[in-house]
Every structure is written in structure tokens, then in C-alpha cells.
Amino acid sequence: MEINSEHIQANIEKAKLGDQVAFTFLLDFFWNEVYGFMLKHTQNETDTEDVVIQTFAKAFDKITTYNPEYAFNTWLIAIAKNAYIDMLRKKKSSLFVDINEDDNRQAYNIADDSLSVEDELIQEQNLSRLLECIKKLKPQYQEVIQLRYFQEQSYQEIADQLDQPLNNIKIRLLRAKKLLSEIIKNKKDC
């Protein structure tokens, strides 16, 4: 099946309405392009994977703000650049990472996106509900979610800590996210 711009735009519109199949289509269709772009910048597959996953997570979270006057891949690349800069900021706070002057300038040219008091309260309530949903997962899935998203460990760090092959961790995390998504979708109050 040949994929044209109308097909892509139709999936974007479906994704804006929360269609998970459309999200999956967009992820599959644009993954390699965003991944290739970021790999050129990071020169590191692990960092690239983290940035690309964050890119699509942010894109799908904010997809209703996408302006169809611009190419979707351009929008994704802009998000990826910001995710990369965020990653550089986190690494800069570490004593073990050397940041060059260009990276430093880029990091400080980002607008302040700190949350208001109301936003923080809403985020805390949402986090509380999310934690209730996570508790409904099997322990093996709770563990990888906790290590990845709450302790912010890399896939390799999780694999080393759990003494499991890296691909097993990736698959377990994908499965955990899918199960968590189903729990959230089926239970409004977890």
C-alpha cells in the first residue's frame, strides 16, 4: 500500500481524537526518520532511542497543538531537538559529562516552561491516579515502569540491574506500557 500525504493527514486527525491505531501508524511511519536525524546529533544509540521515545511521547501528548500548515515530520524533529537539549541539560548537571559551548548556548535559549501552582496540583492528582493504575500490574511490570520512568534509568541500566538481556527489558517495558494503557482506558478511576 502506497502511503500518501492524505493518508498521513487522516491518521494525524484520528490521533488527535485519541485513536491508538493512528498513533501506532504515525510512530511506525516516522520513527526511522526521527531516529536517523537524532543519531547524527547524539552519535549514541542509547541516547538517540531515549530522545526519540520522549519525542513521540511528547508529540502524542501535544498532538492537538500540531499545526497542519507545517510538515508533521518537521514538527517531530523540532520536538526531538528540544528533547535532546533537555537531555543535555540533565547530563550537564552530572560531573561526568562534558558539554561544549554550542550545547551550552542551546540549552539556555529554551523558554521557561515551569508549571503554575494549579498545574502542579493537577499533575500531583494525575500522578496519584497513575500510581494506583500501576499497582494493578504484575510485579515484574511494576518494576520496569518504576525503574525507567521514576528512577529514569536507561534500558541498559535496567538490564544490568535485573540481570536480563537488553531486548527482554525493552519487550517487558513495551508490554507493561500496553497493559497500563489498557488499565487506564478501561478504568477511569483505577
Side-chain angles (χ1 to χ4, degrees):
M1 176 177 125
E2 187 175 315
I3 298 173
N4 58 31
S5 61
E6 290 85 21
H7 185 70
I8 292 168
Q9 194 58 43
N11 276 284
I12 292 168
E13 293 306 315
K14 289 178 186 175
K16 284 182 176 182
L17 299 173
D19 185 324
Q20 292 300 312
V21 174
F23 281 131
T24 302
F25 168 81
L26 293 170
L27 176 81
D28 292 343
F29 189 80
F30 289 104
W31 178 272
N32 288 340
E33 183 177 354
V34 176
Y35 187 90
F37 175 85
M38 286 314 306
L39 187 58
K40 288 178 189 173
H41 287 78
T42 66
Q43 303 286 311
N44 178 305
E45 289 182 9
T46 303
D47 287 348
T48 297
E49 186 175 277
D50 287 345
V51 168
V52 175
I53 288 170
Q54 289 174 17
T55 297
F56 281 96
K58 288 178 182 178
F60 293 151
D61 190 40
K62 304 284 187 190
I63 196 159
T64 56
T65 67
Y66 166 68
N67 182 347
E69 291 179 20
Y70 303 100
F72 192 71
N73 60 339
T74 304
W75 185 66
L76 287 171
I77 295 294
I79 294 170
K81 287 177 184 178
N82 288 333
Y84 177 55
I85 291 168
D86 289 346
M87 182 189 74
L88 291 175
R89 280 182 168 169
K90 283 182 183 175
K91 284 187 173 186
K92 186 174 184 199
S93 66
S94 167
L95 299 173
F96 307 109
V97 178
D98 206 16
I99 302 293
N100 67 34
E101 199 55 40
D102 279 344
D103 292 337
N104 194 34
R105 272 195 297 279
Q106 284 180 328
Y108 286 103
N109 287 333
I110 302 297
D112 179 21
D113 59 355
S114 56
L115 299 175
S116 69
V117 174
E118 294 85 3
D119 289 337
E120 286 181 15
L121 182 59
I122 291 168
Q123 192 173 35
E124 284 177 26
Q125 291 171 344
N126 288 339
L127 180 59
S128 177
R129 277 192 229 131
L130 177 62
L131 291 172
E132 287 300 314
C133 293
I134 290 171
K135 287 179 184 175
K136 295 185 184 274
L137 294 171
K138 290 181 180 177
Q140 67 185 19
Y141 295 129
Q142 288 181 32
E143 183 175 40
V144 291
I145 293 272
Q146 205 270 336
L147 291 171
R148 179 74 179 144
Y149 297 104
F150 293 95
Q151 293 183 18
E152 297 182 349
Q153 291 187 15
S154 70
Y155 293 111
Q156 189 61 57
E157 289 170 331
I158 297 170
D160 292 344
Q161 183 172 335
L162 300 180
D163 196 27
Q164 292 280 319
L166 182 61
N167 282 340
N168 288 9
I169 296 301
K170 289 179 182 179
I171 291 167
R172 189 183 296 177
L173 195 56
L174 283 172
R175 182 75 179 137
K177 290 191 302 188
K178 182 176 175 61
L179 291 170
L180 183 59
S181 174
E182 289 171 4
I183 289 169
I184 291 169
K185 188 168 63 173
N186 292 332
K187 302 230 182 210
K188 295 293 181 201
D189 297 310
C190 284

